[in-house]
Amino acid sequence: MNFIEELKWRGMLQDIMPGTEELLNKGQTTLYVGIDPTADSLHVGHLVSVMMMKHFQLAGHKPIFIIGGATGMIGDPSGKSQERNLLTEETIQANMAGIKAQLSRFIDFNSTASNAALMLNNYDWMKNFSFLDFIRDIGKHITVNYMMAKDSVKRRLNGEFSEGMSFTEFTYQLVQGYDFLHLRKNYNCMVQVGGSDQWGNITTGAELIRRKEGWEAYGLTWPLMTKSDGKKFGKTESGNIWLDPKRTSPYKFYQFWLNTTDEDAARYIKIFTLLPPEEIDALIAAHAQAPHLRNLQKTLAKEITCLIHGEEAYQAAVEASQILFGNATSEALRKIDEDTFLSVFEGVPQFEIPAGELEAGIGIVDFLAGKTSILASKGEARRALKSKAISINKEKVESEDAIIDTRHLLNGKYILAQSGKKNYFLVRCK
């Protein structure tokens, strides 16, 4: 397969302008993708664009990431039902720094290679553009009829709950089109890429370049990601899955991919990993023979967690998974950091005990059914202890006379109690 054929096989190609494939086959090409600086971290919803640029760079092409400092102050109507909040310049600068740090883990920005990536802020070339200059030099080349024909504009104007579209948003496609023109002039950037909701903006940019300068320009898009059940990709009940480990722990990140359905895992492993096609085909075939082993999900979760967070974080996530679902030890429990610990036991019943009481020591029966209500009564606690059904920090409690004290604290403030195999309780010392 050539490069474009592989993108098609991976499910990463939806629309492509005539001549784009031929251009890419000729040799190194510069291309760009836009990223909204709405946060100081990317989330998994951005990963298709990042993986696309990674594939382009591996194929020898030069990626440019455009942080929408100017466009972030406007708001892109594409795929949106309402106008977004506008950002300050200071916020955009801070977000840009955070995004570049994340991308630098797997995109080459710093080598001397001719295809080392660039990150630019479109505010740098838009900030000195006066309104009159813009409508005179740029606006006159694209007609209102052309702009009104775009699906993103039609949907906003004709949507059932639409309040219309502000002039600010309406001009977005011209501002993005000018980005393409600026990059074509100053960086010989020939191709713009984006999600399928960006097709209208991409074609406007190519048309502006053609009408104003008479030059060629190209573009391609990938399909917007959804889950097999039709729900939005990358969203959970608790919100976005972020690439920043402070926002989403590597354990939660790993679990997100591990818990994908068979159908989604077969799609995602092509899009979100760099595994070669023949290896992916073999994995999918093997998974079809033994889906209960979930080797497809395990490989997907490993590859993407290592790519984003590194091998060490992946190993820690696997160990944390074993704590809840396997035969982990007290030693393994003490090794994990507080954020991961809380991620693993998110949602389990919690109790609080004053620090002073724990310093004096609490009998295990009173701990289970006096200071907490882990068990309903002291009689039930004694029966559970007699049948060896109680564990503290993954260690069986062997005696009804056991004392719980500060030696049992994990991360200096938690005790994990377990009744039977699956009933966990978290006790916090305050």
Side-chain angles (χ1 to χ4, degrees), residues 109-372:
F109 285 94
N110 302 314
S111 78
T112 56
S114 60
N115 70 330
L118 295 174
M119 179 175 282
L120 306 172
N121 182 354
N122 65 5
Y123 184 69
D124 291 339
W125 54 83
M126 292 301 301
K127 63 185 176 184
N128 297 320
F129 224 143
S130 75
F131 177 71
L132 291 177
D133 287 342
F134 189 80
I135 60 173
R136 181 193 65 197
D137 297 340
I138 304 303
K140 69 177 183 180
H141 294 284
I142 301 293
T143 66
V144 169
N145 307 58
Y146 181 88
M147 296 170 72
M148 292 284 288
K150 299 297 181 184
D151 286 341
S152 59
V153 175
K154 285 180 180 176
R155 280 195 296 269
R156 280 295 300 277
L157 292 178
N158 302 323
E160 184 180 349
F161 303 107
S162 176
E163 297 178 359
M165 174 184 282
S166 69
F167 176 74
T168 304
E169 284 189 295
F170 184 60
T171 59
Y172 185 94
Q173 60 178 292
L174 275 183
V175 177
Q176 184 169 322
Y178 182 74
D179 285 346
F180 200 178
L181 174 62
H182 176 87
L183 295 173
R184 181 72 174 82
K185 275 185 174 180
N186 295 281
Y187 296 89
N188 195 30
C189 179
M190 300 288 291
V191 181
Q192 182 184 171
V193 302
S196 58
D197 61 338
Q198 292 297 310
W199 183 244
N201 291 334
I202 291 171
T203 52
T204 296
E207 185 67 8
L208 176 62
I209 291 167
R210 186 187 68 79
R211 292 186 184 185
K212 190 171 188 312
E213 304 294 343
W215 298 338
E216 294 177 351
Y218 302 91
L220 61 85
T221 67
W222 52 82
L224 295 181
M225 291 298 298
T226 57
K227 296 194 288 187
S228 55
D229 61 7
K231 292 180 181 176
K232 189 169 183 179
F233 168 75
K235 286 274 190 181
T236 66
E237 289 180 9
S238 56
N240 284 321
I241 300 296
W242 298 91
L243 272 56
D244 183 345
K246 293 186 180 72
R247 289 172 177 251
T248 300
S249 71
Y251 166 78
K252 267 191 175 179
F253 186 86
Y254 171 77
Q255 286 293 324
F256 170 78
W257 300 100
L258 194 64
N259 291 326
T260 53
T261 64
D262 290 351
E263 184 181 344
D264 285 337
R267 284 192 303 132
Y268 295 168
I269 201 162
K270 294 179 178 181
I271 295 168
F272 298 112
T273 79
L274 300 172
L275 295 174
E278 56 274 14
E279 189 173 335
I280 290 174
D281 283 337
L283 277 165
I284 292 172
H287 182 81
Q289 297 300 314
H292 61 285
L293 297 177
R294 296 183 66 78
N295 284 332
L296 194 59
Q297 284 90 340
K298 288 175 184 175
T299 304
L300 170 68
K302 176 183 179 180
E303 291 293 319
I304 195 71
T305 304
C306 285
L307 186 67
I308 302 302
H309 295 298
E311 178 79 27
E312 189 177 335
Y314 160 71
Q315 293 294 346
V318 172
E319 286 183 25
S321 299
Q322 292 302 312
I323 288 167
L324 198 55
F325 306 112
N327 298 315
T329 63
S330 175
E331 183 184 355
L333 198 61
R334 290 182 181 278
K335 277 169 57 180
I336 64 173
D337 63 90
E338 183 177 0
D339 287 343
T340 303
F341 179 82
L342 292 176
S343 292
V344 172
F345 296 104
E346 184 178 27
V348 307
Q350 295 192 20
F351 304 94
E352 286 188 4
I353 291 179
E357 292 188 17
L358 204 62
E359 285 169 7
I362 303 170
I364 184 66
V365 173
D366 195 26
F367 178 82
L368 293 170
K371 302 300 182 183
T372 70

